[in-house]
Amino acid sequence: MTAIPFKENTVIVVFGASGDLARKKTFPALFGLFREGYLSDTTRIIGYARTKMGDEEFRSRIKEHFDLRDRSESLAVQFLKMCTYESAQYDKPEGYQKLTDGIEEFEASRGVDRPHRLFYLALPPAVFIPVAERVRKYCHPGEKGIARLIVEKPFGRDLATARELQKKLAPLWKEEELFRIDHYLGKEMVKNLIPLRFANSFLHACWNNRYISSIQISFKEPFGTEGRGGYFDSIGIIRDVIQNHLLQVLTLLAMERPVSGDAESVRNEKVHLLRAIKPLNKENVLVGQYARSEDGKKPGYLDDETVKPGSKCITYAALTLEICNERWEGVPVILRAGKALNEGKVEIRVQFKETKNGIFSHVSRNELVIRVQPNEAMYMKMNNKIPGVSNKMVVTDLDLTYSQRYNKFYIPQAYESLIRDALNDNHSNFVRDDELDISWSLFTPLLEYLEGPDGPDPVPYPYGSRGPSQLNGYLAKNGYVYQGHSGGYQWPVTTPEGAHKSKM
């Protein structure tokens, strides 16, 4: 693959440069783009934060998290020379004025007549607006150039706060200048959903309620809050994962075909899909909170000293959506996510209807499984005759495991992919204001119920388990038919890590 660098002399400013997000995700992503030839060596990258340190200390800190593959040490040295650091307050004008002076000096030395500046807010939500205001006032190049602002989630904690955030951002930054980043939209298998659906006629033809019986999108983490419960306690798993990551995946999985490939056509169809979702049924939700592991070695959520005693914070949730349109009417969509589970995995599972009549009415259902992470893969569970003289049927699969098929390809990390899109001014994989509003409209009533005085107590489940013991019953009630190892099917081990493709 031939890498084409971006336009030259772009200035990228990362606010919150001393924080974990910037050090572990943002700067390693920028280095990854540079390493692969997708970022020009004329780019100027500036870290901005309150922590006092010099350029060399800053460079040493961010380098710790670089992926130094295949002789890239020399590239890291070259990249770090492109990086500088400014220490200043977020609420005082002096730091922004000094920052702009440095940017303009750099652009003047390069003869830049149309500035291109990207500002990345790797910051807590409390300082989004103060920083956005001052960047607009002091650092925006105005009509003579291009400025773009990347904002990290959370975009509010409910409908009211999301609207308040948007109300304050809208007068400062046009929608075309804003990039609300949800890193799941940058994952390879998520970005592949549109090509998979609309470039393959055999899938497109059966992608409807005539053939599909249920859809699941699941997110599993094998660890708990690990001392960060005080932060998670005010958020919970629905805000953290389901309202944003999993819902965004669903929009791409279920939307209608866009009229074109441009960003607004894609985002229009995502909005149409969101508008077709029924209000969430608060009675049809399974919520849980992890307790101490069965062997007593792993602490429960309430054992975390940063968590308030008796907290009802939800660390596991399964809920079912209904889409009211011609394509999906009657197909339950189950979104489920949890912490402190038996494995780490993000997966899409599309289960097809059973074969009801004829000589093969007894066979297992087909399933298309898309593993988003780890070890990207797609496979279709299918029925096949056992080789030889027997006529017995067995479940097998059509398998596309990326580590085998595409082992020589560069697959970017999610943040690499999305920063590249922002630099190219491609909004396709970013959340639009009306998308955000509708998604919070869906989830806010449910959250108010769950967190209110009449909300249910979360069901305890052991650290390291599959989740609440009621999960199988919940899935069955909502249309998923669990087939286990029916038909002699064995989950194949296809990666060096020994990662099984699919356990419920």
Side-chain angles (χ1 to χ4, degrees), residues 100-307:
T100 301
D101 289 343
I103 292 172
E104 291 178 346
E105 182 181 340
F106 165 78
E107 291 168 344
S109 70
R110 299 297 181 95
V112 175
D113 55 3
R114 185 163 174 75
H116 181 222
R117 302 173 187 174
L118 181 71
F119 303 97
Y120 193 123
L121 305 191
L123 294 166
V127 291
F128 280 176
I129 299 303
V131 173
E133 287 175 341
R134 288 161 179 80
V135 170
R136 182 66 183 84
K137 181 176 181 179
Y138 296 104
C139 308
H140 197 292
E143 296 300 321
K144 69 177 182 179
I146 297 171
R148 298 294 182 255
L149 187 75
I150 296 180
V151 183
E152 277 277 356
K153 82 172 186 74
F155 316 121
R157 57 175 284 106
D158 53 24
L159 182 59
T161 55
R163 284 179 172 173
E164 182 66 18
L165 178 62
Q166 180 57 22
K167 180 181 177 182
K168 291 178 178 178
L169 279 173
L172 303 168
W173 295 84
K174 302 173 187 175
E175 184 63 25
E176 67 188 43
E177 295 179 317
L178 275 173
F179 289 82
R180 299 175 190 85
I181 194 168
D182 182 329
H183 73 274
Y184 262 71
L185 292 177
K187 290 185 177 294
E188 180 66 24
M189 301 306 288
V190 176
K191 295 189 80 169
N192 193 39
L193 288 175
I194 292 178
L196 176 71
R197 288 189 53 203
F198 301 118
N200 294 292
S201 58
F202 77 98
L203 273 180
H204 187 63
C206 64
W207 209 255
N208 54 57
N209 53 12
R210 270 190 74 191
Y211 298 99
I212 293 173
S213 63
S214 70
I215 295 171
Q216 278 190 71
I217 306 174
S218 58
F219 173 101
K220 302 176 75 174
E221 282 185 337
F223 48 83
T225 54
E226 317 298 350
R228 296 180 67 247
Y231 165 78
F232 191 80
D233 210 50
S234 63
I235 297 175
I237 198 69
I238 294 177
R239 284 190 187 87
D240 193 40
V241 175
I242 297 179
Q243 180 271 337
N244 38 69
H245 298 334
L246 300 195
L247 190 65
Q248 284 294 317
V249 172
L250 173 61
T251 61
L252 297 174
L253 191 72
M255 72 181 190
E256 295 300 313
R257 181 171 58 195
V259 296
S260 71
D262 69 86
E264 294 316 303
S265 294
V266 172
R267 300 204 292 183
N268 287 342
E269 293 304 333
K270 291 169 68 180
V271 167
H272 290 161
L273 188 281
L274 288 171
R275 291 190 188 281
I277 298 175
K278 276 186 177 182
L280 300 179
N281 180 0
K282 65 182 182 181
E283 304 299 331
N284 188 24
V285 179
L286 174 63
V287 295
Q289 183 185 92
Y290 71 87
R292 190 181 297 269
S293 61
E294 292 180 343
D295 62 7
K297 294 181 179 179
K298 291 288 188 178
Y301 180 74
L302 296 178
D303 295 327
D304 187 333
E305 293 180 357
T306 65
V307 171

